[in-house]
Amino acid sequence: MPGVPTFDERRSPKHVVIREYVRALVAGCDPGTAAPSERELVERFGVARMTVRQALDALVGEGVLERFPGRGTFVAHPRPRRTGVVGFSEEMARRGVAVTSRTVVADRIPAPPGVARALEMQVDQPVVRWRRMRATDGYATCVADVFLPDALVPGFLEADQPVSLYADLEARGLRPTRAEDALVAVTADAAESSLLEVPIGSALLQHSRRALCGTVPVELSRTVYRADRHTFRLHLYD
């Protein structure tokens, strides 16, 4: 029934409640069907227009809705679905989850031996080191540490860091085409405890990845997740 989300509405941020209400309302509608206007949603939920816009922006980003300036917002036509190697932002978009990021560290360092070996570089060649705290629907979910060969991403540190690393790599012609992943259980250290708002020693899920574009290593990452806020899903193809 439209307007009855399958999550706990009482404990969810208002923009999530509105997002899921609209999702349920347009489910099964033909492409081009008009979605509720921002004014209608403001009046229905008694919230600020910015809250409504955040909810609709998330659905536009997922491809559920499309917006036409001066005309309104409508049920979107189906997009071709990307398969293969995806980043965290893309995976969350598939699930209909809003992602925000906060950069903790972004600098250029000499490649340590392990990083250099994984990225097939010389030890002490420059790499970009990027640590982010990432939240889903407003809740701290994971801490991601990424190393990138500095020579492959010129200007990365001099501009605002992207929300989606893979979108940035794709724009540079370096979209990962394959990845070597590993999952293991770990415990939170002091820094991870603070960022993820869990006690030191709490159980976390660690996802390590070496991603390549063709035969060129472009990313080495280690991401630790709160096990109570993230579930890994594997997409398998022939």
Side-chain angles (χ1 to χ4, degrees):
M1 177 178 179
V4 184
T6 58
F7 60 97
D8 189 345
E9 184 173 317
R10 295 166 299 177
R11 300 178 60 187
S12 299
K14 207 66 176 178
H15 70 90
V16 174
V17 174
I18 298 169
R19 185 192 71 203
E20 296 308 312
Y21 166 80
V22 175
R23 188 197 305 279
L25 198 64
V26 303
C29 293
D30 293 332
T33 301
S37 69
E38 290 184 4
R39 178 179 295 179
E40 290 174 305
L41 294 170
V42 166
E43 292 176 354
R44 178 180 178 85
F45 289 94
V47 297
R49 186 175 291 264
M50 286 293 291
T51 303
V52 168
R53 190 162 298 164
Q54 184 178 5
L56 295 181
D57 284 348
L59 293 173
V60 170
E62 290 177 44
V64 175
L65 302 178
E66 54 189 341
R67 184 180 286 121
F68 297 94
R71 290 179 52 202
T73 306
F74 302 86
V75 176
H77 291 78
R79 296 178 182 174
R81 179 167 175 170
R82 180 186 299 279
T83 60
V85 183
V86 296
F88 181 73
S89 298
E90 295 166 329
E91 176 62 24
M92 292 302 100
R94 286 180 175 180
R95 303 187 195 185
V97 176
V99 175
T100 56
S101 297
R102 175 168 65 86
T103 293
V104 180
V105 174
D107 59 7
R108 186 178 288 107
I109 64 170
V115 172
R117 184 166 54 253
L119 294 177
E120 299 179 7
M121 305 170 58
Q122 296 296 317
V123 173
D124 292 339
Q125 278 190 293
V127 293
V128 169
R129 175 179 60 178
W130 187 24
R131 166 170 275 209
R132 291 171 288 173
M133 191 284 288
R134 316 202 73 183
T136 53
D137 286 338
Y139 297 101
T141 300
C142 63
V143 177
D145 290 293
V146 177
F147 295 93
L148 309 167
D150 184 60
L152 295 182
V153 289
F156 188 91
L157 293 174
E158 287 67 42
D160 291 337
Q161 276 70 61
V163 173
S164 170
L165 172 61
Y166 280 19
D168 182 85
L169 291 174
E170 183 165 15
R172 298 172 186 270
L174 295 171
R175 172 88 195 186
T177 55
R178 65 186 181 94
E180 301 160 359
D181 289 7
L183 292 173
V184 66
V186 297
T187 56
D189 63 20
E192 293 159 352
S193 166
S194 175
L195 291 169
L196 293 176
E197 302 171 359
V198 296
I200 293 175
S202 295
L204 304 175
L205 293 172
Q206 176 181 290
H207 174 212
S208 301
R209 167 172 287 182
R210 187 175 84 118
L212 301 92
C213 177
T215 60
V216 179
V218 295
E219 172 208 12
L220 181 67
S221 64
R222 172 187 178 272
T223 305
V224 291
Y225 296 84
R226 284 188 54 154
D228 61 337
R229 289 187 182 161
H230 186 74
T231 300
F232 280 94
R233 297 178 184 173
L234 301 179
H235 304 272
L236 304 177
Y237 306 94
D238 292 334

